Every structure is written in structure tokens, then in C-alpha cells.
Amino acid sequence: MYQAFLRRYLDVLASIYIYNEHRGYTSIDRVLEAVQARCPDDAVFIAAIRKHRADERKHYVMFKRWFELRGIMSLKVDRACGHIDRFVEIVFGTTIDALDTEAVIASDALFERLCRVIMLTEMRGMRQVATLLKSPLLRSDPVLVKIFRIVERDEPSHWQPYQAWLTRTNRSQAKWHERLTDFWIHRELLFIKLPIVFLNPWLPRRRDWADAAEVEAKPQPIVA
């Protein structure tokens, strides 16, 4: 019974992470567009966001490979399990897909808010990865441990550029209600969404990969 529980837990965990990694790198394309429009001369900031995008894509491919090695597709989770999805919906009052990029580019307040949302999301992700790497459940799978070690290594460079921009432009690092929102979303995912997915035997698996329509990246050898 313990082995069945462990398989299900790791299945759910990896399914939530692969969704969030895919959501992350596809959404960053729009962030990059906004930064290039507002800060065209800030080559360091732009390069950092490009690296962030590449890392999120790399992480997605690693989780995808983990599922392929097991011979199964990931569970079909949706934006209800997405931290950045929920954050944007609460703070901006719209989904990521419906977020008006032109409005964000044109507004100092909206652009600043977007930077804080990304920064807080990535900080939360870094702390969560550190917690997971201490878990005996995760450590039972050497391949997942390798993946999360790489994620842990990459995470600081994902929030630091946004924090640096906020600092050098004398913007607020985070509003109290944004920190509270981040805290609530994390608890909601951990204690409500994850158990619901875990206990739902009817949740289907994906029929194809989320990046099926994209040009395939070079396979990552680290989890082979």
C-alpha cells in the first residue's frame, strides 16, 4: 500500500510541476515583450529574463522525460494548480492568457505589479523546492532528486533580476496584500488542490504533451 501511495504522490507532484514549468516559460515570452518595450537599453535585465525562460523550458523537458521514462503521461491538471495563474487572476483580475500586455507596457503601476508577482512566485518556488528536497518521499526517487537539485540551483536567478529592477528604480519590493495572496495561494495548493488531485481517481492523463505544437528542444541528458 505504501508503494501505491508513493507512486501516486510522485505522479501528482510531477504533474503539478510540469504544468507550472510549461505555464512559466510560455508566459515569460510576454514578460520579455513588456521588458524590451519599457527597458530597451537594460541589456542585463533582458538577458536575465531570457535565461529565466530557457531555464523554465529546461525544467519542463526534464519533468517530461521523467514521465517518458515511466511510460506514462502526466495527469491533466489545469490552472487551478498553477501558482502564477492564481496570483495573476487575484492581483490583476484576469487570467494570464487574457492579461493585456499593451496595458502593462503602458502603465508604471501594472508593470511594477507584474515584476512583484513574478518575484514572489519564484521566491515561493525556491522555498518549496528546498522543503521537497528534505522529504523522504521525494528522495525515494533519484531521478526526481536530480531534477529538483537543478531547479534549486536555477531558482535564485529567476527572482533576483526582478528584485534588482525594483530596487534600482525605487519601487516597493512587495505590498502586504501581495505577500498575503502568495501565502494563501501556496496553502490552498498544498492543503486543498493537491489532496483533491491525489484523491481523484477519475482525473485523466494528458493525451499529448503541452509542447506538442512547439519546436522540440534538444533532449536534456541529465535524467537519462
Side-chain angles (χ1 to χ4, degrees):
M1 183 169 291
Y2 173 75
Q3 288 302 316
F5 169 85
L6 180 61
R7 284 194 301 271
R8 180 64 175 179
Y9 170 79
L10 296 178
D11 195 8
V12 169
L13 180 68
S15 294
I16 290 175
Y17 263 88
I18 195 173
Y19 171 84
N20 278 277
E21 299 293 353
H22 181 264
R23 194 54 148 165
Y25 81 78
T26 53
S27 299
I28 289 172
D29 289 333
R30 300 172 69 189
V31 176
L32 182 59
E33 178 186 348
V35 171
Q36 287 173 324
R38 290 189 59 89
C39 316
D41 299 323
D42 197 335
V44 173
F45 194 18
I46 292 170
I49 294 173
R50 285 181 174 146
K51 178 187 181 300
H52 184 185
R53 200 269 187 198
D55 285 348
E56 298 280 356
R57 168 66 185 173
K58 176 182 68 178
H59 299 166
Y60 167 84
V61 173
M62 291 190 296
F63 282 109
K64 177 180 175 180
R65 180 60 176 154
W66 182 80
F67 279 106
E68 289 174 336
L69 289 172
R70 300 181 80 202
I72 58 175
M73 300 292 289
S74 61
L75 294 166
K76 193 175 181 180
V77 300
D78 57 22
R79 71 175 190 268
C81 292
H83 193 284
I84 190 67
D85 291 87
R86 294 285 293 126
F87 215 154
V88 168
E89 287 173 9
I90 293 171
V91 173
F92 288 92
T94 184
T95 64
I96 291 177
D97 294 331
L99 188 64
D100 188 341
T101 305
E102 293 300 322
V104 171
I105 292 172
S107 169
D108 287 346
L110 291 179
F111 182 72
E112 175 185 344
R113 190 184 308 166
L114 180 63
C115 286
R116 288 198 300 268
V117 165
I118 297 170
M119 180 188 74
L120 290 171
T121 297
E122 295 298 334
M123 285 179 165
R124 174 65 63 184
M126 183 177 67
R127 292 193 295 271
Q128 184 59 40
V129 167
T131 299
L132 285 169
L133 283 168
K134 298 175 184 176
S135 166
L137 297 175
L138 178 68
R139 295 177 71 85
S140 69
D141 188 310
V143 176
L144 271 184
V145 170
K146 283 185 180 180
I147 293 173
F148 277 98
R149 287 291 183 200
I150 292 169
V151 174
E152 180 185 43
R153 181 196 67 198
D154 292 340
E155 283 297 344
S157 68
H158 295 173
W159 58 264
Q160 289 171 345
Y162 303 96
Q163 183 187 61
W165 181 85
L166 290 166
T167 298
R168 67 175 176 267
T169 56
N170 297 313
R171 317 279 176 146
S172 173
Q173 290 293 311
K175 306 290 187 180
W176 69 267
H177 59 86
E178 293 166 345
R179 292 189 183 279
L180 183 61
T181 298
D182 169 63
F183 177 82
W184 162 249
I185 293 169
H186 176 67
R187 291 300 186 270
E188 178 186 52
L189 179 59
L190 195 61
F191 296 114
I192 300 176
K193 302 295 180 59
L194 193 152
I196 288 175
V197 173
F198 183 91
L199 295 171
N200 182 2
W202 301 283
L203 184 66
R205 294 189 180 275
R206 292 189 60 92
R207 293 180 178 273
D208 57 2
W209 295 110
D211 67 338
E214 303 169 23
V215 176
E216 288 292 332
K218 183 178 179 180
Q220 304 294 318
I222 52 166
V223 295

